[in-house]
Every structure is written in C-alpha cells, then in structure tokens.
Amino acid sequence: MTNSESLEGGIEQSDWQERLDRFAQRLQLSRHDPISLLELRDDLERTVGLLPGGNPGFRLRALRLLAEASMQTGEYSAAFDVLVSALSIDDFADQDMRDSARMALVDAAIRSGRQADALALLETLKRSYENEVGTTLAAHNLLKSLGRRDEAIQLLERLVAEDHPASLGLAVAFHALGVILDETGRSSEALTMFSRASDALGSNSELQADLHNSKSVALQKIGRIDEAVKEADKAISLAQASGDMSTLAVAYLSRGNACQAGGQTALALQHFDHGLVVGGWSQSREHEITLLNNIALCYLELGQLALYSRYLLWALDVAEELDDKRAKALGLTNLATMSEPSEARVLLTEAYAIHLHLGDRAGQVGVLNQLAVAVGKDGYPEDALDYAKEALEIAQEVTDPQLLMLCYGQVGSLLAADAEPQLAWDSLMESLSWAEILRRETNVALVRLSMMAEVDSYIDEAIKLAAREADRHTDHVRQQWLSRLFSVLERFRARVLMDQMGSDGVIGEQALPSAPRAELSALTNHVRTLQGLLAMQDATGRYKEDRSVVAEELSSARRQLADFHAYLAQSNPRFGALSLVDPVDMDWLTAVVPRDVAIVEFTNVGDDLASLTYVNEELFFVRHGNTRDVKEVSGKFREACRSFADIQTTVDLGGQLGELVVRPILSETSFDQVRHLLIVPALDVFSVPLDGYRIDGAYLFERFSLSYLPSTSVAKQLRRGVRVGGALVIGDPDGSLPYARQEALEIGE
C-alpha cells in the first residue's frame, strides 16, 4: 500500500487481509531504512484509525505491526502503549499468541525504562515449561542490566533446580547462570553449569561454540591454562564449521587470552590477529576494541613500542567511531603510558573528564594515579602527591580493596620520596593490609597471584624506605627500622609462598571438608557480589540512594568473612598454614631462636644485594654491592661446578663469593657462639648453596651447619608441627642438576 492508496471504508475483508500482508512485507523490507520505517509507521497509525470495529483480529494484527515499527524507529514508549491496546483485545487466536504479545510488551517496557512493569509482566508469563524458561531468562537479563546480580543468580538457580526437560532454552539458562557465576568469581561452579548446559543441548550443536568459549574463560581464571586452550580450540573448530564469524572472533580472543596467560605472547598475538580479521568478515565490531587493545599489549610485552602505540591509536579511533566513551577513556589512558609527561597530562586530563561525565569513580581513581606519576616525572612532586591523595579520597568512598591497595601504595611511595618516612611507612603498610583483604576476598588462585604482582612495587618501596632509614640512624631507632624491614620481608615472602602452594587448588579443594568449604565459598561470593553492585552504582550513577545500604552490608560481609577465615585457621591447621599470613616478629625470634643459631635473610634493595641477620637478639643490616655482580660470579661458580672444571677455578670462585657475601656478615658482629646458619636466599641470585662458599681458606659448611628456608616464618610453622599432607620435595627446577631429579623422586616416594 502506498501513500496515495485509498484507506476509506467500504473495503472488503479480503482486501484488509491483503493490505495487512503488504504492511508486513514493507516492514520486513524497511528494517534498515529509517525513512521508509517512519513512513510505514505513519501509514499504520492511519490504518488503525480506519479499521472496521467489527473485526478485532484485523485490529490486533495492525497494532502488532505498528508496535514493531515503533520499536524499529526507537519509539519504545509508543510501542508500549500500542501493545497495551492490543492486549486489551479479547480475540486472540490462542494463548501462545497472547504470550508472544506480552513478551513484546516486556521488551518495550525495558527499552522505555519501565523495569518494574517488565518484571511484573514476566511473572505473569510463567505458564508452561518452555515459557517459564524463556521468561525466566528474560527476567534474568533484566535484573542483570539493573545491577541486581544476586536476584538474577537466584532466579536462574531456582529454574535449573527444577525438573525441566532438556531443551535449547534450558541450555541457555544453564549457560547464562554459568556466565554470571564466573563474573562474580565462582568459576568452579560456573564450569559445572556449562557442563549441564552441554548435557541439555544433547546432539544440538547450537550454542556449543559459545559454551566452549565460556569454559575457556572460566578455566583461565582458576589457572587451568592447558584445559582453557583446548576449550578455545574446540570453539574455533565449531565456529569455523558453522561459518559463524562473530563466534569465531570470540573464540580466537579466548585462545589468545589463554596463550597470554601461559606466557606465549607471540602465539597470543597471532590469535588476536585472526580474531580481528574474522570479526571484520562478520561485520560485527563488538570485540574489535578489545582485540586491538590486546594486540597492543602483546607488542608491549615483545618490546615493540611503535606497534604498541599504533594499535592503541587504532583502538582509540574505533572507540571514537563507535562513540564508546569508556573505550576512549581506556585508550587515552593506555596511550599516556607511552607519552612524554607533558603530553601524558593532556591525554589523562581528557580521560578523567570522560570518567567524570560517566560517573565512573573507579575510572577516576585510575586516571588520577596515573596523573600523579606523569606530573612527578615532569618535575612537580607536590602536584603528584595532591593527585595521589585525591585518588585515595575517592577510593576510600568507593571502598574497593584493589583501588585502596593501589592508592595507599602510590601515596606511600610519593611520601617516601618527599622525605616523610613515618607517614610513608604507614601508608605502605595500609596498602599491604588492603592487599591481604583483597586476597582473602578473591577465591581464584590465578587472580591472587596476579594481584600480588601489582603490589610488588610497593613492597620494594617499603624495603628501600626501611633500609634507607636504618642507614641514617643508630642504636634503637636503627633497630626499629631493621625490625620493620624484617617484618615486611617476612610478610611478603610468606604470602608469595602460600599463594604458590595454593595455586593448584590446595586451599579451596583439598584443605577443607565440604561443609566449611561451601560456607567459605558462599561468604566470599557474597562479598564479591556486593562489591560488583557498588562498582556498578559508582560507574553508572544509578541507585545511588541505595549505596549506603549496600556499603554497610558489604562491611558486615567482610567482617563475617574475616571471622570465618580466623575460625578456619584455628580449627583446621592445614588451612591456616596455607591461607593466613602469620609472619614472625622480633618477640618470636627472641623467645625461640637459640644463641647458637643465626638467621641470615637476603633481599634486593634497589640494585643492591643486602642481608638482614638476626643473632644474639639483634638485627644487623649489610649491603653487599650490586646484585648483578654477585649474580654473575654465582653463575660462573655454578658452571664450574657443573662442568667439573679445574678445581682451582672452582675454589677461587667460591672464595670470591665468600668475600662478597659471607665476609661482610661475619665482620658486622661476633659469630663466636653461632654453630648453625638458617639461610633465606634472595630470588634468582644464588644458584649454588652457600655451603660451597669459602672464607678464610675453608668452606662455609666446615664452620657452620646450614639450613635453607623460603622464609623465616616457615620455621614458625614447622616448629608448631603443622602437617600439610606429606612432604613438599623440590629438586632440579630447570633440569640442569645431574641426578637431582632422581634424588627428589626417590625421596618423594
């Protein structure tokens, strides 16, 4: 029907049927033509007014077409009103048609901002199995979009707990529940849901590629990288077979992420490139910015800074083109890391303005911290400290542990540079405290390890600060700073060791019986869900009136989680040994360490190798020179021992190490009563045990007996007699020690 056709009365029923059919055809043909859609909507409005009142079926169909045309043109409120009119007509062919109209009404309600109406409508639609699955999924999506994740999870959990027959809809429900569980840190539970989704699909290949993609993401989060790679490969094969280029792009993204997590940067780059290409073939740009940013990061890891900048600029151009404000802010922030300080300030100021406009508090914190770095490099330390303090103020309002960890660390580092040692120390210790809270609230081992990598720089700052202040003072003040140095070393080393021992699920899957493990998981997930809700409120500016209620509930949930951790540490020694940091202090050393034992703990202080020795109830601090020099001699000594070189060369190198490493320690204090040395080596420095070092013409083992520990705090655990399920035997870590692997295997047996 054209604008010139008559729409006057007197038209036969068959003519009305034909005209409505032609409207339906026009709607199908006009989907991508905004002008034609507007003309069609106007024609339909006139037609509805001219339809004879005696045939409600025609009126119903015309209203449905008008509603669909209104939705296509973005007139969601108008579509809602039209569908309400349609549902008031009694002459529906069957209940399914009425339910279909109600689902369209739900969609219009959501799009027009009438979420309460949409939820009420969805409740009325739960009539049959298939309808219940479909409407529950719609309600889940609605609740998730509103940030009400707890309710969204509960809705799907109730659905999948019921005895529904296998169907595509049920598989989608299992998959959706798995995705939201994975997003809230419950990756192991998510994998179970993905398996149930696969069972519900049966031989149906639909959704299988998406399931494998989701499995890959969840497996990466819990550190099962090899399995994640296999799942991504399955997704790639299925997507290639089906010709679904959009899903294939996501599969390549998952495969690349798995490679990157496994340290295969070059291979990850290839997969991200493939994803970018097939994403272009699909004409879907949904993941283009993510792929471009990931490619840029690969080039950064490979040291190709020009390509890093090029891909960042490309991602920024796409963000501009798609009007993606968040992606643009991220691009500006990343680009600032490669810019001169003055240019970085301009880029970061623009990024901050975007986050401010979006109401994204976490984004503001990140940019302010980076601004602090940029202006500090530009020679304005006072401005840098002001930016860092402003970031800290916002982080304190947001109460996100990771932001607080980073902000306190940043402020502490700047205060240390500003010669405010006590304030700097307090801020750095606060950063470490929030790092512990973050670790406790993160029940995924891989995330814990990556989080600890972020705090390494603040640990280094604390070590350098304590060492510097110890060098500056004497007597009891010097001892105070050395005690602080010892405490931070132990705190850090104990945590790293526990995280590494727990990274394969020792804590979460083996150390606890099922009941307390389930309660610990539930408490942890509750905290993370509340954190996500607060983050959504701060990022979107929605439901701010409820923020104080959520924040209070989060504070309470954190206290419950901390109390439960403490209870478990007391009631289950194995869990306590592998979960909570319990570093030794001076009181413990004084009470426990005999006078014939000295503890020598090595560390890196900036570029220097240093040692902290406890003997006769005192701490002594020594710098041994550049770490690189000690490491070089140690490497030569190792090669000489391995190759059975000239014995004199080996002896001479052992003597050099004795002078570099042992002599300064023995010269610092009297070792007359000491018979045993407990050595805590520095990472990547000593490649041969200190027993082989020579001093005053003798090997060190001829003067002392020696023991080695990853931290002094481990001695505290051993003294308690804590059993952690057998022995941990480590030998031949890189395959270069003759017979060491056989030795370790035999001992392990």
Side-chain angles (χ1 to χ4, degrees):
M1 183 181 292
T2 65
N3 291 343
S4 60
E5 288 184 76
S6 172
L7 298 175
E8 299 299 325
I11 300 177
E12 296 294 330
Q13 181 166 316
S14 59
D15 291 334
W16 281 117
Q17 183 68 47
E18 181 183 346
R19 280 159 173 72
L20 290 174
D21 287 343
R22 291 170 65 184
F23 272 127
Q25 291 172 3
R26 282 180 62 190
L27 181 60
Q28 187 66 29
L29 294 171
S30 302
R31 288 187 180 278
H32 304 292
D33 186 345
I35 296 175
S36 296
L37 277 170
L38 288 170
E39 291 177 352
L40 173 61
R41 187 169 59 81
D42 291 342
D43 287 348
L44 279 166
E45 282 182 340
R46 288 195 295 272
T47 300
V48 168
L50 293 171
L51 280 165
N55 194 322
F58 286 156
R59 184 172 184 79
L60 175 62
R61 188 181 181 199
L63 287 170
R64 288 297 307 275
L65 289 169
L66 176 57
E68 190 172 348
S70 297
M71 291 289 285
Q72 291 289 332
T73 57
E75 297 290 332
Y76 304 125
S77 292
F80 183 88
D81 294 337
V82 169
L83 286 166
V84 169
S85 298
L87 284 163
S88 68
I89 298 173
D90 293 330
D91 187 29
F92 274 92
D94 54 33
Q95 184 63 38
D96 286 340
M97 182 183 289
R98 183 177 289 275
D99 286 347
S100 174
R102 284 175 174 165
M103 286 299 290
L105 183 60
V106 168
D107 191 25
I110 293 171
R111 292 172 181 266
S112 60
R114 307 182 190 193
Q115 284 81 5
D117 291 335
L119 284 171
L121 284 163
L122 286 168
E123 279 299 315
T124 66
L125 278 167
K126 293 181 180 178
R127 183 177 58 83
S128 66
Y129 276 145
E130 198 59 40
N131 274 343
E132 182 174 359
V133 172
T135 55
T136 300
L137 282 169
H140 157 265
N141 290 331
L142 176 56
L143 288 167
K144 189 177 175 183
S145 70
L146 294 172
R148 294 158 62 177
R149 285 177 173 261
D150 274 351
E151 295 173 69
I153 292 173
Q154 290 167 9
L155 198 66
L156 287 181
E157 285 178 334
R158 285 196 298 269
L159 175 71
V160 301
E162 298 168 359
D163 187 21
H164 294 298
S167 66
L168 176 60
L170 187 62
V172 171
F174 278 123
H175 184 224
L177 179 56
V179 169
I180 196 170
L181 288 173
D182 188 41
E183 290 173 350
T184 53
R186 299 161 64 179
S187 299
S188 296
E189 295 173 69
L191 288 170
T192 302
M193 292 301 114
F194 297 146
S195 295
R196 294 182 68 182
S198 186
D199 292 341
L201 278 175
S203 59
N204 191 336
S205 62
E206 196 171 354
L207 191 67
Q208 287 286 9
D210 289 332
L211 275 172
H212 289 300
N213 270 328
S214 297
K215 285 181 184 177
S216 179
V217 172
L219 287 165
Q220 288 175 50
K221 289 183 180 178
I222 58 177
R224 292 158 60 179
I225 305 302
D226 290 343
E227 295 174 70
V229 168
K230 291 177 182 177
E231 292 297 332
D233 283 339
K234 291 176 184 176
I236 290 171
S237 297
L238 287 168
Q240 287 174 333
S242 68
D244 186 344
M245 294 295 104
S246 181
T247 301
L248 183 58
V250 178
Y252 278 125
L253 177 60
S254 297
R255 184 68 165 86
N257 286 332
C259 291
Q260 208 163 19
Q264 299 174 294
T265 305
L267 189 56
L269 182 59
Q270 292 179 26
H271 289 296
F272 292 143
D273 276 329
H274 290 326
L276 195 60
V277 172
V278 299
W281 291 344
S282 72
Q283 298 182 344
S284 170
R285 312 191 72 179
E286 183 180 357
H287 302 285
E288 186 174 349
I289 297 173
T290 302
L291 284 161
L292 288 168
N293 278 312
N294 285 9
I295 291 170
L297 290 174
C298 285
Y299 280 122
L300 179 62
E301 289 181 24
L302 295 171
Q304 300 184 43
L305 302 184
L307 286 170
Y308 170 68
S309 297
R310 182 184 301 174
Y311 276 91
L312 282 183
L313 287 169
W314 186 355
L316 194 57
D317 287 342
V318 175
E320 288 269 20
E321 186 179 342
L322 300 179
D323 196 29
D324 188 333
K325 302 294 186 186
R326 293 185 190 281
K328 181 180 179 181
L330 175 63
L332 291 167
T333 304
N334 287 338
L335 199 58
T337 62
M338 298 302 299
S339 305
E340 292 297 321
S342 56
E343 184 182 351
R345 292 181 72 171
V346 175
L347 295 170
L348 291 168
T349 300
E350 185 178 354
Y352 181 79
I354 293 173
H355 287 302
L356 190 62
H357 174 72
L358 294 172
D360 185 352
R361 308 282 276 165
Q364 292 171 45
V365 171
V367 173
L368 286 169
N369 271 326
Q370 217 167 312
L371 269 169
V373 174
V375 299
K377 289 180 179 178
D378 211 15
Y380 299 96
E382 292 182 0
D383 289 350
L385 188 55
D386 287 342
Y387 279 124
K389 287 180 176 178
E390 185 179 350
L392 178 57
E393 287 177 7
I394 298 174
Q396 288 169 333
E397 294 173 15
V398 174
T399 64
D400 178 89
Q402 186 162 13
L403 294 180
L404 285 163
M405 177 192 76
L406 295 171
C407 289
Y408 274 113
Q410 177 86 307
V411 170
S413 300
L414 291 168
L415 286 170
D418 201 33
E420 294 279 358
Q422 187 57 55
L423 292 175
W425 181 263
D426 292 343
S427 190
L428 289 168
M429 292 305 100
E430 191 71 23
S431 174
L432 299 188
S433 296
W434 280 104
E436 283 303 308
I437 291 172
L438 177 60
R439 184 198 174 278
R440 184 171 63 224
E441 295 175 1
T442 306
N443 58 359
V444 180
L446 191 66
V447 177
R448 288 175 175 173
L449 290 171
S450 64
M451 179 270 292
M452 288 310 299
E454 289 181 348
V455 82
D456 278 358
S457 61
Y458 304 135
I459 291 284
D460 290 341
E461 286 293 340
I463 290 171
K464 287 190 288 187
L465 173 63
R468 185 188 73 195
E469 292 304 306
D471 287 340
R472 291 181 58 236
H473 294 91
T474 59
D475 301 330
H476 74 281
V477 178
R478 176 179 171 83
Q479 283 295 309
Q480 181 185 55
W481 280 104
L482 290 179
S483 178
R484 289 176 172 180
L485 174 57
F486 182 76
S487 70
V488 76
L489 283 174
E490 280 303 305
R491 188 173 182 177
F492 171 61
R493 283 178 164 152
R495 168 52 50 234
V496 170
L497 177 66
M498 297 305 102
D499 275 334
Q500 289 174 340
M501 292 181 70
S503 62
D504 290 327
V506 174
I507 296 172
E509 297 176 12
Q510 300 174 17
L512 294 174
S514 59
R517 185 167 70 242
E519 186 171 353
L520 177 62
S521 177
L523 288 170
T524 305
N525 293 332
H526 184 49
V527 167
R528 290 181 60 77
T529 300
L530 291 170
Q531 286 176 341
L533 181 54
L534 272 185
M536 184 277 297
Q537 290 173 333
D538 289 325
T540 64
R542 296 159 70 182
Y543 312 107
K544 285 195 170 182
E545 64 277 6
D546 298 329
R547 194 186 190 286
S548 60
V549 177
V550 177
E552 186 175 343
E553 186 177 351
L554 175 58
S555 178
S556 174
R558 281 187 171 136
R559 287 194 298 272
Q560 291 179 43
L561 179 59
D563 290 344
F564 194 66
H565 265 276
Y567 160 74
L568 289 175
Q570 291 294 322
S571 61
N572 192 306
R574 184 179 179 191
F575 177 83
L578 290 178
S579 65
L580 299 178
V581 175
D582 188 18
V584 298
D585 54 20
M586 284 296 293
D587 290 340
W588 186 88
L589 293 174
T590 303
V592 171
V593 180
R595 298 185 71 83
D596 64 346
V597 173
I599 299 174
V600 184
E601 190 153 337
F602 291 93
T603 186
N604 296 315
V605 180
D607 294 330
D608 291 339
L609 175 68
S611 62
L612 191 61
T613 302
Y614 175 83
V615 61
N616 295 331
E617 301 185 4
E618 279 193 88
L619 288 168
F620 299 90
F621 179 69
V622 173
R623 294 180 187 267
H624 298 266
N626 192 286
T627 302
R628 184 181 62 252
D629 297 337
V630 179
K631 191 173 180 179
E632 183 179 346
V633 179
S634 181
K636 291 178 180 177
F637 186 41
R638 174 189 175 91
E639 289 305 314
C641 293
R642 285 181 60 194
S643 61
F644 304 102
D646 176 62
I647 187 65
Q648 191 57 49
T649 300
T650 308
V651 169
D652 290 345
L653 289 168
Q656 287 183 47
L657 286 169
E659 293 300 318
L660 281 170
V661 176
V662 181
R663 176 75 69 189
I665 297 171
L666 297 180
S667 301
E668 182 71 17
T669 185
S670 172
F671 271 61
D672 292 342
Q673 298 183 50
V674 175
R675 297 292 175 265
H676 185 84
L677 299 182
L678 196 158
I679 306 293
V680 181
L683 296 175
D684 302 325
V685 177
F686 303 119
S687 51
V688 176
L690 272 68
D691 302 63
Y693 291 11
R694 292 175 61 83
I695 190 77
D696 295 332
Y699 290 102
L700 197 59
F701 72 80
E702 295 181 274
R703 180 168 176 180
F704 305 102
S705 60
L706 290 87
S707 300
Y708 297 87
L709 287 174
S711 75
T712 307
S713 299
V714 172
K716 183 177 181 180
Q717 299 293 347
L718 294 174
R719 183 178 174 83
R720 287 178 176 174
V722 173
R723 299 187 62 184
V724 291
L728 173 66
V729 181
I730 300 174
D732 194 24
D734 62 1
S736 62
L737 297 175
Y739 305 109
R741 177 159 299 188
Q742 180 183 346
E743 221 173 44
L745 290 171
E746 290 180 2
I747 293 170
E749 291 172 358

